[in-house]
Amino acid sequence: MTSDPKVATVDQDGNVKAVSPGKATITAVSVDMALKAYCEVTVQSGSVPVTGVDLDRSSASMVKGGSLALAATVKPANATDRSVSWSSSDTSVATVDQDGNVKAVSAGSATVTVTTRDGSKTAVCEISVKAESVPAKNIRLSQSSASLYEGGSIQLIATLTPSDSTDTVAWKSSNTGVATVDQDGNVKAVSAGTATISATSGGGYVTSSCMVTVKQGGKPVTDISLNADTLYLSVGGSSKLTATTYPSDASVRNVNWASDNAGVATVDQDGNVKAVAPGKAKITATSVDGGFEASCSVTVQSGDVQVTGITLDRSSLTLGEGGSHRLTATIVPSDASLKEVDWMTSDPKVATVDQDGNVKAVSPGKATITAVSVDMALKAYCEVTVENGSQGGSSSNLLLYAAAGIVGIVAILGAALFLRGRGS
C-alpha cells in the first residue's frame, strides 16, 4: 500500500509509479501475521524517466585473456537518472565491471547485460570466447554499394575468412554528415552525398568497404515481402516469385534476386525460379533502397511428372452460420509426382478451411477459399458466402431436411388413404 497515492502508487506486484513531487511511504504487509516493511519514496519535480538503453554492439568474439569495452547509451539523453549496472550470465567465461569493461576468462559463451537503475531497462551483448586467437585473412561485405534516401537505413554484414576467426570487426564512416554506421553494421542515411563505410579486422590489415550514396527527398523503403515463403518443385519445374516493397509509394522499389544454391534452383531478375536438381536452395529478394531482404525456401524433388493444373469441385458455395462443406481438389495430370495441396482462406472471420479442404462457416460475409498445389504453386478458388442463420446449411443438414420432408409427405398420404378407406 502507499501512504499517498497522489505522490506515488504501487500495484500488487510491487511496481511503484511516481505521480507528483513529494514523499510517500510504500508498505508491504505479510498476509500471515500482518508484519510490515517500508520504503520511503521521494518524487522530484521535473524528473525525466528512462525509456530504454542501447549497447554499441550486440555481439563480440574474444580470445581468452582479451578485453573489450562496451558503451551503453541511456535514452532519452536528458533522463534524470542515467546510471546503469552491468552483469555477466557466466563469469567463468567472461566478466564485466561496472564501467562495461569485459574480460575473456575461458572458452565458451556468455551474455553481458546492462540494466538501467530507473525503469530496469536492459540491453545485451552476446560474448563468444575462444581458447586461442584465429586471425582474419579476408573480410567480405554483403554489399559493395548502396543507395539510400535521407532517413533510410541498411545493415551491412561482414563475413570473415576463416569462418572461425576470433577477430572483431570495427566499422567506420568516411563522412558521418552523410551516413553513420554503428558497430553492428547498421548504416543510417543523414543527408545527400556519398560516404564510404569501412569494415576493418585483423589488426587493421584486413578491410572491405561499401560506397553509400544518399539522395535528397523521396520516400525510403521500410520493408519487403514475398508472395511465398516455401516452394516445392520437380526437376525442370518453374515458378514465379513476386516481391512487394513497402510503403507502396516508396521512391525506389527495385529489387535484386539471388539463389544461395544455383546448382539446385536458379532465379532471374524477374523472380522466375527454375528447379535444376534435387536439393534445397534459398531464393532471396533484396530491395535496392535500404537493402531489406525476404526469402523463400525452395525444395526440388526428383519427380518427373509436374503439376500442370488444379481444379475444385465447387467454384462457389453458400452456407449458413455453423454450416460446413468439404471441397475436393483435383491435380492435373493424375499421375503428377507431387500431388499435395495447401488450403487457405481470405477471411477466417467468415469461413475457415483445414488442410483436408473442410470449410466451416463462421459468420455472415464472403470469403475466398484457395487451394494451392505444392508443386508449381498453381491455384484454384471457391467463393464462399455465409448467410445469417442456417439457411445455407451443410451438405449433411440439407440431406436431413430432404429426408424429413419426404417422411412428412408419406405420413400425410398414408393418413389420407386410411380415412378414405374408412369412409368407403
Side-chain angles (χ1 to χ4, degrees):
M1 66 185 70
T2 177
S3 64
D4 192 344
K6 294 180 180 179
V7 173
T9 61
V10 63
D11 64 20
Q12 292 307 304
D13 292 320
N15 297 303
V16 179
K17 177 72 173 179
V19 179
S20 63
K23 293 181 180 291
T25 302
I26 303 299
T27 305
V29 184
S30 67
V31 175
D32 181 23
M33 303 298 290
L35 301 178
K36 300 179 180 180
Y38 307 92
C39 176
E40 298 297 329
V41 176
T42 300
V43 179
Q44 298 176 339
S45 61
S47 62
V48 179
V50 170
T51 60
V53 62
D54 290 328
L55 286 178
D56 59 337
R57 61 176 68 233
S58 60
S59 63
S61 179
M62 303 178 69
V63 180
K64 179 181 177 181
S67 61
L68 172 71
L70 293 176
T73 302
V74 175
K75 299 180 291 185
N78 63 338
T80 303
D81 185 356
R82 306 187 71 223
S83 57
V84 299
S85 61
W86 298 82
S87 62
S88 169
S89 65
D90 191 343
T91 55
S92 68
V93 173
T95 62
V96 61
D97 65 20
Q98 291 310 302
D99 292 319
N101 297 305
V102 181
K103 179 74 173 179
V105 179
S106 63
S109 298
T111 301
V112 172
T113 303
V114 61
T115 305
T116 64
R117 185 166 71 174
D118 176 17
S120 297
K121 308 296 183 181
T122 61
V124 299
C125 178
E126 300 297 335
I127 304 293
S128 174
V129 179
K130 296 188 177 180
E132 59 182 19
S133 175
V134 180
K137 296 181 179 179
N138 187 35
I139 184 172
R140 180 171 56 86
L141 294 185
S142 52
Q143 291 181 233
S144 59
S145 64
S147 178
L148 297 171
Y149 280 97
E150 291 175 329
S153 62
I154 184 177
Q155 183 176 24
L156 296 176
I157 305 298
T159 303
L160 297 178
T161 303
S163 59
D164 62 345
S165 172
T166 56
D167 286 348
T168 57
V169 177
W171 295 86
K172 183 180 180 181
S173 170
S174 66
N175 190 344
T176 55
V178 172
T180 61
V181 62
D182 66 17
Q183 292 309 302
D184 288 322
N186 295 301
V187 179
K188 178 76 173 179
V190 179
S191 63
T194 59
T196 301
I197 304 299
S198 300
T200 304
S201 190
Y205 294 104
V206 181
T207 187
S208 184
S209 62
C210 173
M211 178 62 70
V212 176
T213 301
V214 179
K215 300 176 183 179
Q216 256 185 340
K219 184 170 287 189
V221 170
T222 59
D223 202 0
I224 185 174
S225 66
L226 294 180
N227 61 320
D229 54 15
T230 57
L231 278 180
Y232 295 85
L233 299 173
S234 298
V235 174
S238 62
S239 184
K240 181 177 177 64
L241 291 174
T242 301
T244 303
T245 52
Y246 304 93
S248 59
D249 58 347
S251 301
V252 179
R253 306 190 67 198
N254 308 72
V255 300
N256 292 321
W257 295 87
S259 169
D260 72 344
N261 192 347
V264 170
T266 61
V267 62
D268 64 20
Q269 290 309 304
D270 292 319
N272 296 302
V273 180
K274 178 75 173 178
V276 178
K280 293 181 179 292
K282 182 171 75 172
I283 304 299
T284 302
T286 305
S287 66
V288 172
D289 177 26
F292 293 92
E293 294 183 352
S295 60
C296 176
S297 175
V298 178
T299 300
V300 178
Q301 300 182 343
S302 58
D304 297 324
V305 183
Q306 300 171 23
V307 172
T308 59
I310 181 174
T311 59
L312 290 179
D313 59 333
R314 299 282 295 270
S315 60
S316 63
L317 184 64
T318 299
L319 297 171
E321 289 179 279
S324 62
H325 182 85
R326 180 170 182 172
L327 293 174
T328 301
T330 301
I331 293 292
V332 179
S334 59
D335 61 345
S337 302
L338 192 60
K339 302 179 73 173
E340 284 80 359
V341 173
D342 286 332
W343 296 85
M344 62 188 71
T345 176
S346 65
D347 192 346
K349 293 180 180 179
V350 173
T352 62
V353 63
D354 64 19
Q355 291 307 303
D356 293 319
N358 295 304
V359 179
K360 177 73 174 179
V362 179
S363 63
K366 291 181 180 293
T368 302
I369 303 299
T370 304
V372 185
S373 66
V374 171
D375 181 19
M376 304 299 290
L378 302 179
K379 298 178 181 180
Y381 308 92
C382 176
E383 300 297 330
V384 176
T385 300
V386 178
E387 299 178 341
N388 281 314
S390 58
Q391 57 265 40
S394 66
S395 299
S396 58
N397 287 341
L398 292 175
L399 291 173
L400 289 172
Y401 297 155
I406 292 172
V407 170
I409 292 171
V410 170
I412 293 170
L413 291 175
L417 291 173
F418 174 74
L419 294 172
R420 183 177 178 182
R422 292 186 64 183
S424 63

